[in-house]
Amino acid sequence: MKNFEDRLREYQLKATPQRIAITKLLDEKGHLNIDTLYNLLKEDFTSLSLATIYKNINIMMEKSFVKEVKLPNRKSVYELQKEHHSHLVCKKCNKIEDIYIQNIECFYDEVNQKTDFAIESSDITVIGLCKQCR
Amino acid sequence: MKNFEDRLREYQLKATPQRIAITKLLDEKGHLNIDTLYNLLKEDFTSLSLATIYKNINIMMEKSFVKEVKLPNRKSVYELQKEHHSHLVCKKCNKIEDIYIQNIECFYDEVNQKTDFAIESSDITVIGLCKQCR
DNA sequence: CTGACTGCAAACGTTTTGCACGGTA
DNA sequence: TACCGTGCAAAACGTTTGCAGTCAG
């Protein structure tokens, strides 16, 4: 991956220190909710405003630089836009892993067979226990 | 399905007129958000309070009588608990259809093959265009 | 240099809470 | 009858907005 400044600019986003830091954190941690993002950034930007986080996450979503992930029984988390993938969520430790599934066709086939729905994309979350917690 | 009163009582929920009406609406319409539920119920219960809707939906979720469905770019909707299923969401008309997929194994197999994750359940939303809108 | 971004405070919409009253079991 | 549910109003919460000062390009 390019450096974060350039990556932001590619998406028509000015590379401010706050945005670079948000990008860096999302890249490192993978998935973060608003509060966690704010608290982590607060360490480096003592006068950071929550409004800045909201404004940035919103514009980053508009530009498809960041994506919201809605999960059952949990606040939304945000991730950097990347290749289409699904999520494994551990019930115990709350960790979220990405997984790139090749073989979605098999269940798309079933949808096509049963309905007249024109599939555009899918959003898959798998709940369970991760390697460490199982 | 049993009548709604009995169904509520089976889930340790007192069968008040408001709860029966919520149940009836969810059964008829399938998926409703809080506001729609409130506006529809308001027709029959002129003095209905929004707080009552919230309190009831919350307790119904605690008792697993109702389930929240989180969808991309949209307010949460609620549905009566039923057999595990997935959702087809039409981008154009916003309709939500249930679909019972048999063949999830094929992609569970892939998850098992790639990770050490112990799958418990999955949450699948398919976005696209419905029969009428395609 | 200009338009966009930031931080602050206020506003806003949504959800929850406390309380007095009424209804279910 | 006792307890739980309802409706109302107020409170709490999360998110957005407007504005003045600052910064990236």
Side-chain angles (χ1 to χ4, degrees), chain A residues 70-71 74 89 91 100-103 106-107 110 114 116-118 120-121 123 125 127-129 134, chain B residues 70-71 74 89 91 100-103 106-107 110 114 116 118 120-123 125 127-129 134:
Chain A
K70 290 189 181 185
L71 301 170
R74 198 170 310 215
V89 181
K91 285 180 69 170
Y100 293 83
I101 298 179
Q102 314 301 321
N103 191 28
C106 66
F107 108 83
E110 192 179 337
K114 288 188 171 167
D116 250 325
F117 195 86
E120 188 186 289
S121 68
D123 200 333
T125 305
I127 314 292
L129 294 171
R134 70 184 300 173
Chain B
K70 291 188 180 187
L71 301 170
R74 197 171 313 215
V89 181
K91 285 180 69 172
Y100 292 84
I101 298 179
Q102 314 301 320
N103 191 27
C106 67
F107 109 82
E110 192 179 336
K114 288 187 171 166
D116 250 324
E120 189 186 286
S121 67
S122 60
D123 198 332
T125 305
I127 314 293
L129 295 172
R134 70 183 300 174

Side-chain angles (χ1 to χ4, degrees), chain A residues 2-129:
Chain A
K2 297 219 161 111
N3 65 41
F4 301 127
E5 284 90 332
D6 289 347
R7 187 130 197 254
L8 282 162
R9 292 191 196 103
E10 274 173 27
Y11 283 78
Q12 274 71 258
L13 292 163
K14 278 198 182 176
T16 67
Q18 292 85 342
R19 286 179 183 174
I20 295 166
I22 290 173
T23 309
K24 189 154 169 275
L25 267 179
L26 290 179
D27 183 60
E28 278 171 24
K29 311 276 182 180
H31 309 84
L32 294 170
N33 65 34
I34 296 287
D35 291 343
T36 313
L37 207 42
Y38 177 64
N39 290 322
L40 290 172
L41 288 171
K42 207 58 198 195
E43 294 171 11
D44 291 320
F45 297 83
T46 43
S47 70
L48 180 70
S49 164
L50 238 191
T52 300
I53 304 284
Y54 279 109
K55 285 173 188 166
N56 280 328
I57 288 293
N58 284 337
I59 196 177
M60 286 169 163
M61 288 199 292
E62 273 167 38
K63 306 280 189 185
S64 298
F65 181 75
V66 155
K67 192 157 163 282
E68 179 177 10
V69 183
K70 290 189 181 185
L71 301 170
N73 313 313
R74 198 170 310 215
K75 286 185 198 162
S76 288
V77 295
Y78 300 87
E79 64 182 8
L80 296 181
Q81 186 73 44
K82 46 202 158 192
E83 201 185 331
H84 185 271
H85 60 274
S86 304
H87 294 110
L88 306 179
V89 181
C90 179
K91 285 180 69 170
K92 197 166 161 201
C93 72
N94 289 329
K95 193 172 58 191
I96 303 170
E97 293 171 63
D98 291 347
I99 182 168
Y100 293 83
I101 298 179
Q102 314 301 321
N103 191 28
I104 324 190
E105 299 311 323
C106 66
F107 108 83
Y108 281 7
D109 288 347
E110 192 179 337
V111 174
N112 285 324
Q113 201 183 315
K114 288 188 171 167
T115 71
D116 250 325
F117 195 86
I119 300 173
E120 188 186 289
S121 68
S122 60
D123 200 333
I124 303 179
T125 305
V126 180
I127 314 292
L129 294 171

Side-chain angles (χ1 to χ4, degrees), chain B residues 70-104:
Chain B
K70 291 188 180 187
L71 301 170
N73 314 315
R74 197 171 313 215
K75 286 186 198 161
S76 288
V77 294
Y78 300 87
E79 64 183 5
L80 294 182
Q81 186 73 46
K82 46 202 158 192
E83 203 184 329
H84 184 273
H85 61 274
S86 302
H87 294 111
L88 306 178
V89 181
C90 179
K91 285 180 69 172
K92 198 165 161 205
C93 72
N94 288 329
K95 192 172 55 191
I96 304 170
E97 293 172 63
D98 290 348
I99 182 168
Y100 292 84
I101 298 179
Q102 314 301 320
N103 191 27
I104 324 192

Side-chain angles (χ1 to χ4, degrees), chain B residues 7-21:
Chain B
R7 188 135 193 250
L8 283 161
R9 292 192 195 102
E10 274 173 27
Y11 282 78
Q12 274 71 258
L13 293 163
K14 275 195 183 177
T16 67
Q18 291 85 342
R19 286 180 183 173
I20 295 166

